[in-house]
Amino acid sequence: MNLTHILYSFLAIVNEMSPFILLGFFIAGLLHVFVSDRMMSRHLSGPGWKPVVKAALFGIPLPLCSCGVLPAAVSLRRNGASRGAVTSFLIATPQTGVDSIAATYSLLGLPFAIIRPVAALVGSVVGGWSVSRALPEKVQGCGSACDVAVPAEEPRAGFFRRLGEALRYGFVDMVSSVGKWLVIGLVVAALITVFVPDSLFVSLSRYPLLAMLAVVAVAVPMYICATGSIPIALSLMMKGLSPGIAFVLLMAGPAANFASIIILSRVQGRKATAIYVASVVVTAIAFGLLIDLMLPSGWFVPRAGAAVMSDACHTQFGIFESICSAVLVLLLVYAAISGRGHNHSHNINNEDMNTKTYIVKGMACAHCKATVEKSLSALPGVESVEVNLADGTATVHGDASADSVLNAISLAGFEGSTEK
């Protein structure tokens, strides 16, 4: 019975989320292709609060996880964005995204889907403005470093070609980036639904602030993307956890994990990193308390709750939702197979004197891979680049020097070394 219930809970959540996730992936591809880093950077330079607000508004719809947002932020900083704007971008982006906002609506309802980006906006503006005040810019931009490995503006391809690139990024690269964490979130949610007793969280909900601090303590060391956190929050609410406490998980989990904090301290400095973490935690708890203490509880009844928690497995899934779920599963399977299939493909030409393979540490998603490829492709003397996300290598064809390649990897936000 438990196995049947787990499978049913898993399928019920997938069916609720899949149409919105696919829509989010499509919009993510459009944003990736039609909105360039250079265009964003032009609006994010200079002192004051305007670049900070613009960075938050840019970051909220972008579907980047906390690992993928780091190289994007490094690129913005390298192209002249202020430290405060970069901090604002780093806070807003991993907490939301068009895919996670759509998925939030699908499972948790409209109020959650509205409050989530509003909280991200408030937290990012407060954090970015605080960094701007605490660490004022002495020199705009990044000096001579900006001239290294910055890709030139590429000529615009035709609309249909760019649309094809958007579809590939949304339904292949994005699925590769968040697919694993989405599946983990769905499985954890199904297990919680079946095995965690309802009484476990009843006493915890009597002390909301203490419970929120406990959620932060669990969420910070745990890595989970904005979309993957949604089914977990749903299952916890169905077990009796208050909506405000679940909201803290939605906001703190994706934005503040140890891996991001360590890398961020190297890019922005310890003081800016401390402000970043404090902004994420304080904003999440503040909005969590607002939800529990001031807003009507009837607003936060999950849309998918009845289907997920039902003990009777007789609910009929809709045809459209089932088709979307099947498409999502096929995309996840394709991403897993294609990721494995290229593990050793870059060793063929290692005997060629003009081909060198480098180790790249820190890549965790398709956006990381694309950032390294873009940075290396801009180097003089580079004919082609092949980046393998699975084994963490970059194979460079051409006569570019090893020092320039390693410098380009570093400027992209990663750690590079020559392969032994």
Side-chain angles (χ1 to χ4, degrees), residues 75-106:
S75 174
L76 293 175
R77 178 67 176 160
R78 191 174 69 230
N79 286 333
S82 68
R83 186 182 280 109
V86 170
T87 301
S88 179
F89 182 81
L90 284 166
I91 294 173
T93 308
Q95 291 182 331
T96 55
V98 288
D99 58 329
S100 64
I101 293 173
T104 300
Y105 170 74
S106 70

Side-chain angles (χ1 to χ4, degrees), residues 156 181 190 211 307:
R156 289 184 175 270
W181 306 109

